[in-house]
Amino acid sequence: MNSETDIKTFAGFGAFDIKKVAVIGAGVMGAGIAAHVANAGIEVLLLDIVPEGAANRNAIAEKAVEKLMKADPAAFMSKRAAKLVTAGNIEDNLADLASCDWIVEAVIERLDIKQALYAKIEAARRPGSAVSSNTSTIPLADLTAGLPESFKRDFLITHFFNPPRYMRLLEIVAGADTDPATVAAVARFADVKLGKTVVTCKDTPGFIANRLGTYWLQLAVGEAFRLGLKVEEADAVMGRPFGFPKTGVFGLIDLVGLDLMPHVQGSLKRALPVSDPFHATLRDEPLISKMIETGYTGRKGKGGFYRLNRENGGKAKEAIDLSTGAYRPQEKASVPELEDGGGKDIFALLCAPGTAGRYARSVMAKTLAYAARLVPEAADDIVAIDDAMRLGYNWKFGPFELIDTIGAARLASLLCADGEEVPALLVLASDKPFYRVENGTRQYLARDGGYRDIVRPDGVLLLADIKLKSQPLMKNGSAALWDIGDGVVCLEFTSKGNSLDEGIITLLGKALKLTKDKHKALVIYNEGSNFSVGANLGLALFACNIGAFGEVEKLVAAGQKTYQDMKYAPFPVVAAPSGMALGGGCEILLHASAVQAHAESYIGLVECGVGVLPAWGGCTAMLERWATDPKFPKGPMPAPSKVFETVSTATVAKSAAEAKELKFLRDSDGVTMNRDRLLADAKAKALALVEGYAPPKPVEFFLPGPSGKAAMDMAVAGFAKRGMATKHDTVVSGVLAEVLTGGGADHIEPVPAAKVLELERDGFMKLIRTTATLDRIEHILETGRPLRN
């Protein structure tokens, strides 16, 4: 929510808090919405119809919850969240709506069914409670026609995207009669509690994302047929060159389902005036109709434009020939236009004379022009449209950001040359950018030709904005340190994949010293896709291949020292991960004073999967977490056994909630649902810790020694006998067991943490010298997958 309109909407917040939610309709979307509300720690009632003749009147809703528990990707962030969902039905449980603050309707897209349900909801709900529809095809004015004013006042559209847990976009449409305070309360809840970026839309067909996204997909498919492209070629063009997901268009349609497209297209066809350019994209493709009829509906069916042929026990990747309808082996796309600079210069691609260039131009020039037509019809400003496409379709850049890359005047000239109408907004922009930075503030071009500041909602702090107004306190090729105000500094990783290397370790050490001397607290955070994918394996492999094991050992020792300095610093260090925090990235979290994690943080010590051990204190920190847990069994064996189980299997938590269960995070660590609020929350946590802060004291462990190692070795041998562990897995696990049990001697006295750290370092160096480990690292770097042999 960055636009002027959205900020005004939020200003009315304060009408009521949302403490309980009801979702009516337990289909894929309704059940997914219910699961995500539960992920936020909110009680939710999930209702559906009573099946005819059913002994269990709640069968549909209960079955939906069962499916959610097995969903992949997971709908629930933890099993505990599922307990917040109560299944029921709309005959026996409508009275329970009176206890709900927000009622979400997600039933079949039929106006008569929805309106009949609304009448029942109105009779049962508490006056003033919010009611919304998840529709993406029926106008709000039609939904509320004939209903009482009391219902209209509390009604709005809240259009979630599938799957609701992972898709950040929420489109909100308010009616002429909707109470702004109700809209603000739902929007605020969706933002803070559900982690959504809320985009305010007009009550127009398809709203923003599906209106433009469907136009783009329909046009891209039709042009691929017309120009005779292979699906691989079309996806190569409509993928990374424009910052779209690598699935391209055909892969994306396979993902969402071919059978869904005709429904969306049909609703837009019926709702949009005949003058709308959308109608020109509609083509009858018999091949697609045949695919749907025969069950080739994409990944959920027998295959789609791509399929995995499992005949004769194989797994052959195949693609469909658009001209014949026959499947053939999938090919790597050969697109000369992308190799000649068009892969990086999209204007050059649009002007390229080959088939791929004509395809890019025929699709994207029209798509970007269509986006310009949607202001102000579907949205008040360009920011809403860019947000919708980035978050609803995972575009790296919004359409107006892409136009800035091309140049509005140059795009207009392409459209003129092709005989296409140039939208008024493009004419207005002419030689001006749609976005600019003025006095350190990002601005967007408004419809009157002037520029407006992009204003963040209260509680949002982005490092990207800070960078526009300041210079780093220090930096190198892998990291930078920024002053984020109030005596707090922020260490940002900038290496590829935010992988950890000597540069990051060095700057972290310098940042700790500077913070001690001049600041109150340190936050470790970045706005990349992942907090850190772990140590830079490429550098490690190179050093080992030239025999520079001494350099590797120096980096391990430097990392251990710097992480210990961080842990025992006299000021708070707060780590704020989002996405993957693996290996050394996870170890940063384990050594921080506290963590403020984005809910979608995937955390784990994965080194054993690479063929080595955590070497920067991960084993020691995890031993401490389990050994000092007052609820966990005491004695020398329980804690080492639990850490061995987690680390040897390279277990990764699939959410921040699950990370707490595995003790990668403490119970006291914070969780932020909205990614844009993470830095502000981490800064607030750091400042809250400053007063009276004291670093932890070093710990000692009671460890089982050789007898404990023997028990762990026996367990691994059993896995190996069943084919569940390779020969090198057994070697790695044996070294890990030696570290966790305290080495080769029996321990009568407690083992200092420093001794376990020494064992970690020695164990890592022992394994990094083995050919099997180096083979694994090389395989991972080449394929992105672990080597299992």
Side-chain angles (χ1 to χ4, degrees):
M1 296 218 357
N2 297 321
S3 70
E4 214 169 20
T5 301
D6 292 328
I7 297 301
K8 290 177 181 176
T9 300
F10 263 101
F13 174 64
F16 59 90
D17 290 333
I18 295 174
K19 298 178 180 178
K20 184 176 180 180
V21 175
V23 179
I24 303 179
V28 172
M29 281 302 299
I33 293 168
H36 194 52
V37 171
N39 288 334
I42 304 297
E43 185 180 354
V44 56
L45 181 66
L46 179 62
L47 306 180
D48 210 299
I49 62 172
V50 177
E52 188 174 347
N56 179 4
R57 295 172 63 82
N58 300 334
I60 293 177
E62 288 180 5
K63 186 68 175 177
V65 175
E66 290 176 16
K67 287 183 178 179
L68 290 170
M69 294 289 288
K70 300 174 184 177
D72 186 18
F76 289 113
M77 291 180 176
S78 73
K79 293 181 180 178
R80 295 176 185 174
K83 297 177 181 178
L84 292 171
V85 181
T86 300
N89 67 77
I90 58 174
E91 293 183 17
D92 303 328
N93 302 107
L94 273 181
D96 295 335
L97 297 182
S99 65
C100 297
D101 305 299
W102 178 22
I103 302 162
V104 182
E105 170 269 302
V107 302
I108 189 171
E109 292 288 85
R110 273 183 48 184
L111 182 60
D112 58 333
I113 291 176
K114 290 179 184 290
Q115 286 199 321
L117 176 62
Y118 296 159
K120 295 178 181 179
I121 291 173
E122 177 67 357
R125 74 184 181 103
R126 186 183 69 252
S129 58
V131 184
S132 70
S133 174
N134 186 58
T135 187
S136 63
T137 62
I138 304 175
L140 185 148
D142 292 349
L143 291 172
T144 57
L147 290 167
E149 292 301 315
S150 58
F151 185 84
K152 292 180 180 181
R153 185 176 59 248
D154 297 328
F155 185 82
L156 64 156
I157 288 174
T158 52
H159 180 218
F160 289 82
F161 282 70
N162 193 38
R165 170 182 165 181
Y166 300 96
M167 298 301 289
R168 289 179 58 190
L169 176 63
L170 179 69
E171 294 180 323
I172 283 187
V173 180
D177 301 316
T178 310
D179 184 351
T182 299
V183 178
V186 171
R188 180 74 178 181
F189 178 84
D191 173 356
V192 177
K193 294 293 187 179
L194 301 185
K196 302 302 178 186
T197 295
V198 177
V199 172
T200 302
C201 308
K202 303 288 187 68
D203 190 15
T204 56
F207 311 133
I208 299 173
N210 279 348
R211 171 96 172 263
L212 181 55
T214 303
Y215 178 91
W216 167 62
L217 288 173
Q218 183 71 18
L219 186 60
V221 169
E223 289 299 286
F225 273 95
R226 185 180 71 83
L227 293 170
L229 268 73
K230 296 177 180 178
V231 291
E232 297 98 329
E233 294 169 338
D235 284 347
V237 175
M238 285 299 128
R240 288 177 174 166
F242 292 98
F244 302 153
K246 63 181 181 180
T247 55
V249 288
F250 289 101
L252 176 60
I253 293 171
D254 275 356
L255 184 64
V256 300
L258 276 74
D259 54 333
L260 179 63
M261 294 303 294
H263 294 292
V264 178
Q265 292 161 2
S267 66
L268 289 173
K269 180 181 178 180
R270 290 188 295 272
L272 291 171
V274 292
S275 59
D276 193 281
F278 173 83
H279 294 283
T281 69
L282 297 173
R283 290 168 54 105
D284 181 20
E285 300 294 352
L287 173 59
I288 295 178
S289 299
K290 182 180 178 182
M291 290 171 70
I292 296 171
E293 290 170 4
T294 54
Y296 284 90
T297 54
R299 295 188 187 183
K300 65 183 179 182
K302 295 187 289 185
F305 295 107
Y306 298 95
R307 75 174 183 181
L308 197 61
N309 190 338
R310 299 179 182 273
E311 290 181 5
N312 302 318
K315 290 184 178 180
K317 293 181 179 179
E318 296 181 336
I320 202 165
D321 187 310
L322 295 180
S323 60
T324 67
Y327 283 96
R328 51 164 176 77
Q330 186 175 332
E331 304 171 2
K332 182 177 180 180
S334 177
V335 183
E337 293 90 335
L338 299 183
E339 298 166 5
D340 296 336
K344 296 180 179 179
D345 183 344
I346 60 175
F347 181 67
L349 177 58
L350 296 178
C351 296
T355 303
R358 292 197 301 275
Y359 178 63
R361 181 166 169 172
S362 64
V363 175
M364 289 310 301
K366 293 177 183 176
T367 296
L368 296 177
Y370 195 66
R373 288 177 58 102
L374 298 184
V375 180
E377 180 186 343
D380 282 330
D381 53 56
I382 65 170
V383 178
I385 291 178
D386 277 354
D387 283 348
M389 294 310 294
R390 279 198 311 269
L391 299 170
Y393 278 75
N394 285 327
W395 287 15
K396 184 176 181 180
F397 308 105
F400 293 96
E401 291 172 316
L402 286 173
I403 295 173
D404 276 352
T405 301
I406 299 165
R410 294 202 296 185
L411 177 59
S413 69
L414 290 178
L415 291 167
C416 286
D418 294 340
E420 299 290 335
E421 180 184 351
V422 179
L425 195 58
L426 277 183
V427 175
L428 174 69
S430 184
D431 58 351
K432 293 189 291 187
F434 280 104
Y435 292 98
R436 72 177 188 183
V437 176
E438 189 75 11
N439 298 321
T441 299
R442 197 168 187 235
Q443 298 180 328
Y444 69 93
L445 182 67
R447 285 181 285 140
D448 61 4
Y451 284 90
R452 305 284 187 276
D453 288 350
I454 294 178
V455 183
R456 308 298 184 193
D458 290 342
V460 170
L461 177 64
L462 298 181
L463 198 55
D465 290 342
I466 292 170
K467 290 180 180 182
L468 296 177
K469 301 178 180 180
S470 61
Q471 295 295 318
L473 300 174
M474 59 177 69
K475 68 176 295 187
N476 60 26
S478 300
L481 186 70
W482 301 88
D483 188 335
I484 59 173
D486 301 311
V488 182
V489 290
C490 175
L491 181 67
E492 174 198 25
F493 304 154
T494 58
S495 58
K496 184 178 180 180
N498 294 324
S499 59
L500 302 170
D501 57 17
E502 184 180 4
I504 287 177
I505 298 301
T506 298
L507 204 70
L508 173 56
K510 292 180 178 180
L512 291 169
K513 185 177 185 306
L514 183 68
T515 306
K516 179 182 177 182
D517 294 341
K518 296 185 177 182
H519 301 280
K520 296 178 182 178
L522 171 66
V523 169
I524 303 177
Y525 161 92
N526 63 74
E527 286 166 1
S529 300
N530 297 301
F531 178 75
S532 175
V533 296
N536 189 321
L537 295 178
L539 291 178
L541 181 64
F542 175 76
C544 293
N545 282 339
I546 63 173
F549 292 104
E551 295 302 311
V552 176
E553 188 163 11
K554 283 181 185 177
L555 182 59
V556 172
Q560 280 197 355
K561 179 184 183 306
T562 304
Y563 280 33
Q564 291 301 299
D565 289 346
M566 175 172 64
K567 179 173 182 176
Y568 297 111
F571 53 83
V573 178
V574 175
S578 179
M580 291 188 286
L582 305 179
C586 174
E587 287 173 301
I588 285 178
L589 312 186
L590 293 172
H591 289 83
S593 312
V595 175
Q596 184 71 33
H598 181 227
E600 296 296 348
S601 293
Y602 315 121
I603 304 169
L605 295 170
V606 297
E607 289 87 345
C608 286
V610 180
V612 292
L613 303 183
W616 285 335
C619 297
T620 310
M622 288 297 285
L623 273 178
E624 181 178 346
R625 295 271 172 106
W626 286 102
T628 57
D629 182 351
K631 299 178 182 178
F632 197 66
K634 301 305 172 187
M637 198 63 184
S641 295
K642 190 66 179 177
V643 178
F644 182 79
E645 175 190 334
T646 302
V647 177
S648 66
T649 56
T651 300
V652 175
K654 301 299 176 60
S655 68
E658 192 174 305
K660 289 192 174 189
E661 296 169 5
L662 293 167
K663 294 200 184 304
F664 293 130
L665 298 180
R666 308 174 185 86
D667 287 340
S668 59
D669 287 332
V671 176
T672 297
M673 292 294 283
N674 191 319
R675 178 66 178 80
D676 290 345
R677 296 180 176 275
L678 181 58
L679 180 56
D681 289 351
K683 178 183 174 182
K685 179 174 278 289
L687 287 171
L689 292 172
V690 167
E691 185 72 29
Y693 180 77
K697 298 184 182 301
V699 298
E700 295 180 324
F701 305 108
F702 287 95
L703 300 176
S707 60
K709 180 181 183 305
M712 294 177 186
D713 288 344
M714 287 179 61
V716 175
F719 284 113
K721 190 173 182 179
R722 297 196 298 273
M724 300 169 65
T726 68
K727 183 178 179 179
H728 194 54
D729 288 336
T730 304
V731 173
V732 174
S733 296
V735 177
L736 175 63
E738 187 168 349
V739 172
L740 295 175
T741 57
D746 289 313
H747 299 287
I748 299 174
E749 299 296 327
V751 179
K755 174 62 176 177
V756 182
L757 281 171
E758 181 183 330
L759 291 170
E760 278 193 55
R761 184 185 68 240
D762 293 346
F764 177 90
M765 291 309 303
K766 178 179 180 180
L767 290 167
I768 199 70
R769 292 173 180 269
T770 65
T771 301
T773 289
L774 297 182
D775 286 346
R776 283 193 179 193
I777 293 175
E778 187 170 12
H779 183 81
I780 288 171
L781 291 172
E782 289 179 352
T783 67
R785 299 187 301 274
L787 178 65
R788 306 305 302 167
N789 61 28

